[in-house]
Amino acid sequence: MSTADVWSRIELRQGDITRLDVDAVVNAANSRLAGGGGVDGAIHRAAGAAQLQAACRKLGGCATGDAKLTPGFNLPARYIIHTVGPVYRDGRHGEPELLSSCYRRALEVAAEHGARTVAFPAISTGVYGYPFEAATRVAFETVTGFLAEHPEIERVVFVFFGRDDYEHARAVRDELA
Ligand code: AR6
């Protein structure tokens, strides 16, 4: 599949990921799956914190770079796929490989459950401190590679909370697409 065909299945958006009507939204969680701030807090509030926490407790945590699924509860999305990004140190402690693994594992879990449309936040770029542009390159390269091999995932939406992040991501996309 050509690069242009793959990019036609990818959308960049600015806004709140909890509002998206997709099959699965990805959460940037912590390894205890205990809820937290940032997008994790927003997803827990919007899904219904008590029921989502109860579902998360049954999963026994999640390793960095892995992904686990719960129902979406009160979200428009049917599923939440919780992944744990790396805490950024200096980029030489496996951070790119672990971040790439988050995107790949989330899409594998989505495909296993028949989800065809998946929305991602900018994993690790908030509290976990991953430099935005480097993280965005890893995200785009991993997802385009996966989509080229997996036609069953029809559409991926990258959701950027702030205007600056959205514009920055568009510039990275224009360079790669
Ligand atoms: N929709 C889309 N993106 C959002 C939203 C939202 N509603 N809210 C924030 N973002 P972060 P991390 C963006 O810190 O770096 C939590 O406490 C935000 O602007 O949420 O992977 C967890 O429990 C940023 O660009 O995730 C972990 O302990 C991006 O989401 C830890 O933070 C990711 O920022 C994970 O840190």
Side-chain angles (χ1 to χ4, degrees):
M1 186 172 283
S2 78
T3 307
D5 288 340
V6 168
W7 279 99
S8 73
R9 288 153 63 203
I10 294 177
E11 190 185 332
L12 273 52
R13 279 213 199 187
Q14 189 202 345
D16 178 356
I17 199 168
T18 66
R19 311 288 285 266
L20 285 199
D21 192 2
V22 286
D23 294 334
V25 296
V26 177
N27 182 21
N30 55 65
S31 57
R32 290 177 302 124
L33 300 182
V39 69
D40 195 6
I43 286 175
H44 274 257
R45 278 191 300 278
Q51 53 192 353
L52 182 52
Q53 268 177 17
C56 284
R57 268 197 296 276
K58 293 185 190 150
L59 297 175
C62 183
T64 303
D66 200 2
K68 295 197 175 174
L69 179 135
T70 65
F73 297 109
N74 299 339
L75 295 184
R78 186 151 152 232
Y79 299 119
I80 302 166
I81 298 174
H82 306 264
T83 190
V84 183
V87 176
Y88 190 84
R89 289 166 68 186
D90 56 8
R92 287 185 301 225
H93 288 81
E95 296 95 329
E97 293 77 13
L98 287 166
L99 185 62
S100 178
S101 175
C102 288
Y103 285 93
R104 192 177 57 256
R105 286 290 303 133
L107 289 172
E108 284 171 0
V109 169
E112 281 162 18
H113 288 82
R116 295 178 167 277
T117 56
V118 182
F120 283 98
I123 300 163
S124 280
T125 69
V127 173
Y128 283 179
Y130 209 118
F132 183 82
E133 184 162 333
T136 303
R137 283 180 196 282
V138 169
F140 288 171
E141 280 162 14
T142 305
V143 170
T144 53
F146 190 94
L147 290 183
E149 305 290 326
H150 294 269
E152 69 272 23
I153 302 285
E154 291 169 6
R155 192 162 61 96
V156 168
V157 185
F158 288 101
V159 185
F160 300 97
F161 203 45
R163 186 86 203 166
D164 288 354
D165 283 353
Y166 171 70
E167 299 290 356
H168 198 165
R170 278 170 49 115
V172 174
R173 190 269 316 267
D174 290 348
E175 205 184 288
L176 296 176

